[in-house]
Amino acid sequence: MPSALPTGEPAPPDGSLPVTALQGLGTRPFGVYVHVPFCATRCGYCDFNTYTAGELGTSASPSSWLEGLRRELDLAAAVLGAPPAADTVFVGGGTPSLLGADGLADVLAAVRSSFGLADGAEVTTESNPESTSPGFFAAIRDAGYTRVSLGMQSAARHVLAVLDRAHTPGRPPEAAREARAAGFDHVNLDLIYGTPGETADDLRASLDAVQEAGVDHVSAYALIVEEGTALARRVRRGELPMPDDDVLADKYELIDAALTARGLRWYEVSNWAAGPASVCRHNVLYWRGADWWGAGPGAHSHVGGVRWWNVKHPAKYSELLAAGRSPAAGREVLSADDRRVERVLLELRLAEGLPVDVLDAGGRAEAKTAAADGLLDPDALAAGRCVLTDRGRLLADAVVRRLT
């Protein structure tokens, strides 16, 4: 979820939504995102809304956060009136596995209590490989989790060191095998590519480790140097070079070719799956602009064209909820044009693209030019859809700017 707070109007203290936002609720997929703001250490590249125990001191704890979460989920159910059962649940962070299996079971029990789960619901938790074990995976599987996403980043020790990652190179694939042995059919490994000092052979070794782990889903993200992070300070001091766009493009192509050869196909620019059943349904919900309630400090939500975001600090979050107030810090009511632009931005990233008729007249003219430039598939365009070519995926952000 986004970590920066957009500008917008104040959110009402009771969390109420416009009547128009609730129209059609339940006819669109509905998901619940839970943000766990705790980490054992802070990675040098990360700008997510996370806190170590030393940073929080006595101002907040997992128990006070969980109590706040229960209150927010109950508030959500009241605001939505007759809330639909959750089609997807995603517990992210931060490091959800720091809660332990019992803590994650409590989180899912709170979601069930407030919303219920739809038949066949997808329930995912992110996990740090170092804070998992065979017993952990067996317990969360018994609690109702159906999918696990593990942070791997790289199989190269020196790359992990630049990223300030604490896990050993072999632990993520091992954890993935443990999850599969515990009954998880759907296991994701996250990769980061383009870290200063990472060679093509380092990346190939990471992809080989992914293959050996036997996972059915891989996410791969180019390293972004975010302002305010330790990594950004090192780059600014000249200790590390800024990632090179041409090198990032070459590495993306290497990843795509390797994963495709292993039977994983891209379905979103940064995500590959072994088949339709392996696709992360919760993330597709975001990319299709459906409805979700984001609970937890700094979490973002969207229902019926209204987007809002919570206060970031866990202590303030719990304090507001204990006082019977919404933790929302602000919100935006999206105009029809806002929603159209966001639809282009998000759906164009999907393998099936988006309908041409979503574009305005200028965007349709640009789509023809983009197809002539090799960025959009001309056959798909003739059939009424904007679909990125392989080259278009490398320049997806630029294509979006042209079409909007």
Side-chain angles (χ1 to χ4, degrees):
M1 302 302 296
S3 58
L5 297 184
T7 57
E9 64 184 41
D14 62 358
S16 59
L17 293 171
V19 173
T20 53
L22 301 178
Q23 292 172 350
L25 183 67
T27 64
R28 303 175 293 270
F30 179 78
V32 176
Y33 172 77
V34 175
H35 185 71
V36 180
F38 308 110
C39 280
T41 60
R42 181 170 295 282
C43 299
Y45 64 93
C46 179
D47 74 335
F48 292 168
N49 186 44
T50 61
Y51 305 83
T52 65
E55 290 168 339
L56 286 174
T58 59
S59 67
S61 67
S63 60
S64 64
W65 166 83
L66 181 59
E67 184 56 35
L69 176 71
R70 292 188 178 111
R71 287 174 170 149
E72 184 181 2
L73 292 173
D74 285 344
L75 171 70
V79 166
L80 297 178
D87 297 299
T88 64
V89 178
F90 196 105
V91 184
T95 310
S97 50
L98 285 180
L99 300 176
D102 289 345
L104 284 172
D106 288 342
V107 168
L108 187 53
V111 174
R112 277 199 180 101
S113 175
S114 297
F115 291 102
L117 297 179
D119 290 341
E122 174 194 86
V123 184
T124 302
T125 183
E126 294 181 334
S127 296
N128 183 323
E130 293 296 308
S131 54
T132 62
S133 66
F136 167 87
F137 290 121
I140 64 170
R141 187 73 186 90
D142 287 345
Y145 286 82
T146 67
R147 188 173 180 276
V148 173
S149 181
L150 296 160
M152 175 175 171
Q153 285 69 55
S154 175
R157 191 177 298 273
H158 68 96
V159 173
L160 294 175
V162 171
L163 296 172
D164 292 323
R165 293 292 295 185
H167 65 257
T168 55
R171 178 56 194 156
E174 181 182 33
R177 289 189 287 270
E178 290 171 357
R180 291 175 58 228
F184 282 95
D185 294 326
H186 305 305
V187 181
N188 172 65
L189 284 171
D190 274 343
L191 295 177
I192 291 177
Y193 62 94
T195 302
E198 180 192 55
T199 67
D201 284 342
D202 291 331
L203 183 54
R204 291 188 186 96
S206 298
L207 293 164
D208 288 343
V210 166
Q211 180 183 24
E212 292 166 7
V215 298
D216 69 329
H217 192 287
V218 175
S219 301
Y221 303 103
L223 178 66
I224 297 175
V225 179
E226 301 284 4
E227 278 303 315
T229 62
L231 178 63
R233 291 190 289 274
R234 295 185 68 187
V235 170
R236 191 164 51 248
R237 290 194 299 263
E239 297 174 14
L240 296 171
M242 181 70 77
D244 179 88
D245 287 344
D246 290 336
V247 172
L248 292 175
D250 289 342
K251 289 185 174 179
Y252 179 87
E253 290 179 324
L254 190 161
I255 291 167
D256 185 51
L259 294 178
T260 299
R262 290 162 169 79
L264 277 72
R265 304 287 176 172
W266 79 282
Y267 69 94
E268 190 274 341
V269 169
S270 298
N271 289 273
W272 291 257
S278 300
V279 165
C280 179
R281 288 159 45 196
H282 187 83
N283 283 344
V284 170
L285 180 147
Y286 295 150
W287 294 319
R288 294 203 176 280
D291 296 332
W292 73 91
W293 192 289
H300 287 228
S301 303
H302 172 268
V303 173
V306 179
R307 179 170 54 214
W308 67 96
W309 49 94
N310 285 349
V311 296
K312 298 181 76 171
H313 199 279
K316 182 66 174 177
Y317 169 79
S318 297
E319 176 189 323
L320 286 168
L321 286 157
R325 298 184 58 189
S326 164
R331 76 179 188 187
E332 292 178 311
V333 179
L334 304 177
S335 68
D337 193 55
D338 290 335
R339 298 179 76 174
R340 180 188 64 79
V341 169
E342 288 203 355
R343 187 174 176 189
V344 176
L345 172 68
L346 296 171
E347 287 190 31
L348 190 64
R349 296 180 61 86
L350 295 169
E352 62 265 34
L354 79 154
V356 173
D357 59 15
V358 172
L359 306 177
D360 59 18
R364 290 192 291 273
E366 285 289 346
K368 292 179 181 178
T369 303
D373 291 341
L375 302 174
L376 292 178
D377 183 324
D379 293 334
L381 189 63
R385 298 195 71 82
C386 295
V387 175
L388 293 170
T389 61
D390 290 347
R391 180 167 175 264
R393 276 192 278 163
L394 298 174
L395 300 168
D397 290 344
V399 178
V400 166
R401 287 194 294 271
R402 290 173 63 166
L403 299 188
T404 53

